[in-house]
């Protein structure tokens, strides 16, 4: 038997400890990085655990029963997450997405939603608070999440065919339970729901048209995501990527689609509408049409490390600042300086070398 090397733990602990700043700078909501990109979106991972073992995210041969997930004491508390969220909002964040792992596995997640739902942006508007889930327990959680203040939800769904879906999630979970979750979420008031499908050529690309047909006319927005080289364990190859242009061609051949304008600068999904007016679809083309120059997103790991890119190799340890007595003003100044130094544009620079580099796993910082 050959030894299997699991590099994840070492990558998780690679982080910079920002020094406590002595000269403080009040945030004005307009911080920009080295490429002029503002800070508008924050993704917060609330757990590194998931009940699926999707091959492109948490392959079973790595994330097995012996894998060392983070102990509970290492995770940010809900109060710590909320405190950091306020610091990010002071710098201009208007949208927060809760991710994982599978965020609905975090005990009492509704309490965190309650704490974040009352926050407002710098100009006094309600925070755009949303959550991404695999939908496995959404039917049980939808009403309590809405009651807590959640406004929107995105559900990951990689196939409509049950056999294909079970192969993708690799835990024999039935697609009907996810569809029931979508229905329950819509009934609870979370509509329109976004449905995300990661497309792998030769694995589930035959499900593009069936999924589109299923959700066409439902009011939900189906989005197709190119298979990305996130992390170091999913066996990514360019040959497995089905370019979004081909996805759109298939949809056009089947139904007829035409482009829509983006909702805002920095929107990652390219929007399309059915010509008969029966709904909207989108494509996210991080591999073939890099959108790094418009990226306004930061990511906070479940134990408080800040990452400036989905393909990052290291983070910045904000938990250490929280737990060693830093004031909000000190954390705000440190965050501003970190963002001002950001120059990440991985997808524009993708090469054989960058693909092989050890990167943080998607399950750790959220997709």
């Amino acid at each position: 038997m050959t030894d299997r090397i699991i590099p994840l733990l070492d990558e998780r602990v690679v982080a910079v400890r920002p020094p406590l700043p002595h000269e403080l700078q009040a945030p004005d909501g307009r911080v920009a990085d080295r490429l002029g990109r503002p800070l508008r979106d924050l993704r917060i991972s609330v757990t590194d655990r998931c009940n699926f073992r999707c091959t492109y995210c948490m392959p079973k041969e790595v994330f097995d029963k012996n894998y060392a997930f983070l102990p509970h004491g290492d995770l940010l508390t809900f109060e710590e997450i909320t405190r950091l969220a306020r610091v990010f909002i002071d710098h201009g964040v208007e949208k927060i997405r809760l991710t994982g792992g599978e965020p609905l596995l975090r005990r009492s997640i509704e309490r965190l939603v309650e704490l974040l739902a009352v926050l407002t942006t710098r100009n006094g508007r309600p925070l755009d608070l949303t959550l991404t889930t695999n939908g496995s327990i959404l039917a049980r959680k939808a009403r309590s999440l809405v009651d807590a203040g959640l406004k929107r939800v995105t559900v990951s769904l990689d196939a409509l065919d049950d056999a294909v879906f079970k192969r993708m999630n690799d835990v024999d979970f039935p697609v009907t339970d996810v569809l029931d979750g979508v229905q329950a979420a819509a009934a609870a008031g979370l509509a329109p729901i976004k449905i995300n499908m990661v497309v792998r050529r030769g694995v589930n690309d035959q499900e593009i048209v069936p999924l589109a047909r299923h959700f066409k006319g439902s009011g939900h927005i189906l989005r197709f995501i190119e298979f990305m080289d996130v992390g170091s364990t999913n066996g990514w190859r360019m040959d497995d990527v089905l370019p979004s242009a081909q996805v759109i061609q298939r949809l056009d051949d089947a139904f007829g689609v035409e482009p829509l304008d983006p909702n805002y600068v920095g929107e990652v999904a390219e929007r399309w509408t059915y010509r008969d007016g029966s709904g909207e679809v989108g494509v996210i083309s991080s591999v073939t049409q890099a959108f790094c120059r418009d990226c306004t997103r930061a990511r906070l790991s479940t134990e408080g490390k800040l990452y400036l890119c989905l393909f990052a190799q290291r983070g910045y340890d904000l938990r250490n600042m929280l737990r060693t007595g830093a004031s909000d003003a000190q954390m705000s100044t440190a965050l501003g300086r970190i963002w001002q130094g950001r120059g990440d544009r991985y997808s524009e620079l993708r090469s054989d070398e960058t693909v092989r580099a050890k990167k943080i796993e998607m399950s750790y910082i959220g997709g």
Side-chain angles (χ1 to χ4, degrees):
M1 183 177 69
T2 58
D3 291 333
R4 176 161 52 88
I5 298 173
I6 303 177
L8 303 186
L9 186 59
D10 288 342
E11 298 306 317
R12 284 197 310 224
V13 300
V14 175
V16 174
R17 293 190 178 187
L20 288 180
H22 299 293
E23 295 183 7
L24 303 181
Q25 184 173 358
D28 60 7
R30 297 192 298 271
V31 67
D33 68 10
R34 286 158 49 194
L35 299 180
R37 299 169 294 190
L39 175 56
R40 293 289 179 264
D41 308 272
L42 177 63
R43 296 201 168 191
I44 302 174
S45 175
V46 297
T47 180
D48 59 339
R49 299 170 187 266
C50 186
N51 54 346
F52 283 9
R53 287 297 178 265
C54 299
T55 53
Y56 60 81
C57 182
M58 294 183 73
K60 187 181 290 183
E61 61 271 19
V62 174
F63 295 87
D64 59 15
K65 64 180 181 180
N66 297 316
Y67 180 73
F69 290 99
L70 294 167
H72 185 75
D74 285 358
L75 310 189
L76 292 180
T77 67
F78 292 163
E79 289 73 20
E80 288 173 329
I81 290 173
T82 305
R83 184 181 172 194
L84 283 174
R86 291 193 181 98
V87 173
F88 277 89
I89 289 170
D90 282 343
H91 280 291
V93 161
E94 299 173 344
K95 176 181 177 180
I96 290 180
R97 178 179 296 278
L98 302 179
T99 70
E102 169 49 47
L104 297 187
L105 294 181
R106 180 77 184 257
R107 183 177 299 176
S108 303
I109 185 66
E110 295 89 346
R111 175 56 183 158
L112 176 60
V113 172
E114 287 179 346
L115 292 172
L116 296 176
V118 298
L119 302 182
T120 58
T121 64
R122 284 184 64 94
N123 58 16
R125 293 202 306 264
L127 186 68
D128 184 3
L129 179 62
T130 183
L131 178 148
T132 295
T133 173
N134 62 25
S136 59
I137 55 176
L138 183 57
R140 301 202 306 268
K141 288 278 191 177
R143 172 50 58 188
S144 61
L145 289 168
V146 170
D147 291 344
L150 190 69
K151 302 302 183 186
R152 297 190 296 110
V153 69
T154 296
V155 177
S156 299
L157 180 59
D158 295 327
L160 192 62
D161 179 88
D162 198 51
V164 177
F165 182 67
K166 287 179 177 179
R167 286 198 300 271
M168 295 289 287
N169 66 57
D170 207 18
V171 291
D172 206 36
F173 194 89
V175 71
T176 52
D177 286 11
V178 177
L179 296 175
D180 288 346
V182 171
Q183 185 175 356
L190 288 171
I193 295 167
K194 291 180 179 177
I195 313 292
N196 281 355
M197 174 188 179
V198 174
V199 181
R200 293 189 67 175
R201 186 197 299 271
V203 176
N204 68 332
D205 62 298
Q206 73 277 10
E207 292 292 292
I208 292 170
V209 171
L211 265 173
R213 183 175 291 113
H214 181 84
F215 288 108
K216 187 173 183 286
S218 68
H220 307 319
I221 301 171
L222 179 60
R223 304 190 301 183
F224 301 93
I225 303 173
E226 291 179 344
F227 176 42
M228 293 181 288
D229 50 318
V230 182
S232 306
T233 64
N234 67 6
W236 185 88
R237 300 182 312 143
M238 187 65 197
D239 290 346
D240 294 332
V241 177
L242 185 73
S244 293
Q246 295 184 31
V247 173
I248 292 299
Q249 187 61 60
R250 293 191 193 186
L251 295 175
D252 194 36
D253 291 344
F255 310 108
V257 295
E258 58 189 29
L260 288 172
D261 291 333
N263 286 310
Y264 55 89
V265 175
E267 185 174 25
V268 299
E270 184 181 287
R271 302 171 62 218
W272 294 75
T273 183
Y274 296 110
R275 290 197 181 96
D276 64 5
S278 59
E280 178 182 330
V281 292
V283 290
I284 298 176
S285 316
S286 179
V287 178
T288 63
Q289 299 178 50
F291 41 78
C292 301
R293 293 304 174 112
D294 291 325
C295 180
T296 60
R297 187 173 298 110
R299 289 176 165 82
L300 186 65
S301 77
T302 187
E303 93 295 26
K305 292 189 176 71
L306 170 64
Y307 293 90
L308 305 180
C309 178
L310 179 60
F311 306 94
Q313 293 178 273
R314 68 173 185 177
Y316 298 85
D317 190 354
L318 301 188
R319 186 189 66 184
N320 178 262
M321 298 186 72
L322 278 171
R323 296 184 179 178
T324 55
S327 67
D328 287 357
Q330 288 174 316
M331 289 192 296
S332 177
T333 299
L335 173 59
R337 291 173 181 173
I338 291 169
W339 189 262
Q340 287 169 339
R342 176 184 186 240
D344 299 73
R345 51 191 185 99
Y346 176 91
S347 288
E348 290 183 354
L349 303 175
R350 183 179 280 106
S351 65
D352 290 342
E353 182 178 352
T354 62
V355 167
R356 289 193 301 269
K358 296 293 187 294
K359 300 183 288 291
I360 295 299
E361 296 296 319
M362 184 188 300
S363 58
Y364 173 66
I365 57 169

